[in-house]
């Protein structure tokens, strides 16, 4: 067994674990509040819809800072840019109605899902990344369904609210799995 520094993979895993727990908590609370207002685009729904990609920006910034020694953060920077554009796009789309919001939300879910899938694949050796890979793939599919759902006769934001819950659960699963990597790092073992 090889010894690694505490700020190596184990330290990165520990930091990502905390971030993933925070992302889980945010996703669940956001979804529960969003479900209460998913039938129309009132001020609370608009705020929540813009807040979600902005939270993703903050999480990607923390992730990039945390894991910069483990590889290139380029994909995380792409995610930051896409999520910032999405927040602005959603704010604009809200003036046009739920179908426009679903199209923007769907496009974001596709691109962010691809990024998540690629980041998870690149981090496979760290452990705890299969939930991220699966979540990214599901996000791509969900994004397509949001875009298609925008053409429904009476589209709602319920599916967008529901989108956050599986994503949050996958972050929780990954955080739990990363606990093993973090523990091994604290004990000087290779994951």
């Amino acid at each position: 067994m090889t010894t690694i520094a505490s700020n190596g993979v184990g330290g990165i895993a520990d930091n990502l674990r905390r971030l993933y727990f925070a992302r889980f908590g945010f996703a669940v609370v956001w979804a529960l509040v969003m479900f209460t207002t998913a039938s129309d685009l009132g001020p609370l729904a608009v705020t929540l819809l813009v807040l979600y990609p902005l939270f993703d920006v903050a999480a990607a910034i923390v992730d990039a800072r945390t894991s910069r020694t483990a590889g290139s953060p380029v994909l995380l920077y792409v995610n930051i840019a896409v999520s910032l554009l999405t927040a602005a796009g959603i704010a604009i789309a809200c003036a046009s109605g739920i179908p426009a919001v679903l199209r923007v939300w769907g496009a974001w879910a596709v691109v962010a899902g691809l990024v998540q899938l690629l980041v998870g694949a690149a981090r496979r050796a760290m452990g705890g990344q299969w939930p991220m890979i699966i979540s990214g793939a599901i996000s791509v599919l969900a994004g397509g369904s949001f875009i298609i759902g925008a053409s429904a006769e009476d589209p709602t934001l319920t599916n967008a609210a529901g989108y956050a819950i599986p994503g949050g659960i996958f972050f929780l699963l990954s955080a739990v799995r990363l606990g093993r990597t973090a523990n091994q790092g604290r004990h000087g073992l290779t994951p």
Side-chain angles (χ1 to χ4, degrees):
M1 292 187 188
T2 309
T3 303
I4 60 173
S6 63
N7 62 351
V9 174
I12 293 168
D14 203 32
N15 290 331
L16 286 176
R17 187 171 190 247
R18 284 192 295 275
L19 175 63
Y20 289 177
F21 278 130
R23 291 194 74 159
F24 163 73
F26 176 82
V28 170
V29 170
W30 182 90
L32 291 174
V33 176
M34 188 66 197
F35 275 127
T36 67
T37 186
S39 60
D40 68 322
L41 279 174
L44 179 59
V46 171
T47 301
L48 290 169
L49 288 165
V50 172
L51 180 63
Y52 198 92
L54 290 177
F55 184 83
D56 195 54
V57 168
I61 290 169
V62 170
D63 192 335
R65 288 181 179 166
T66 295
S67 60
R68 70 178 170 264
T69 59
S72 173
V74 170
L75 287 171
L76 294 169
Y77 296 149
V78 167
N79 191 56
I80 290 166
V82 168
S83 293
L84 282 171
L85 289 172
T86 299
I90 287 174
I92 293 166
C94 283
S96 297
I98 291 176
V101 170
L102 287 172
R103 286 182 189 97
V104 173
W105 190 268
W108 174 57
V110 168
V111 175
L114 284 172
V115 169
Q116 184 178 18
L117 190 152
L118 294 171
V119 169
R123 292 178 175 170
R124 265 189 347 259
M126 182 185 304
Q129 294 304 301
W130 279 107
M132 295 295 90
I133 293 168
I134 294 167
S135 178
I138 290 171
S139 183
V140 170
L141 297 173
S145 76
F146 297 143
I147 294 167
I148 292 167
S151 300
E153 195 169 306
D154 189 24
T156 70
L157 298 168
T158 304
N159 289 343
Y163 166 76
I165 292 177
I169 290 169
F170 281 113
F171 276 112
L172 176 63
L173 292 172
S174 193
V176 169
R177 286 287 297 129
L178 281 170
R180 180 176 175 200
T181 303
N183 260 348
Q184 288 174 335
R186 279 192 286 276
H187 292 65
L189 304 173
T190 307

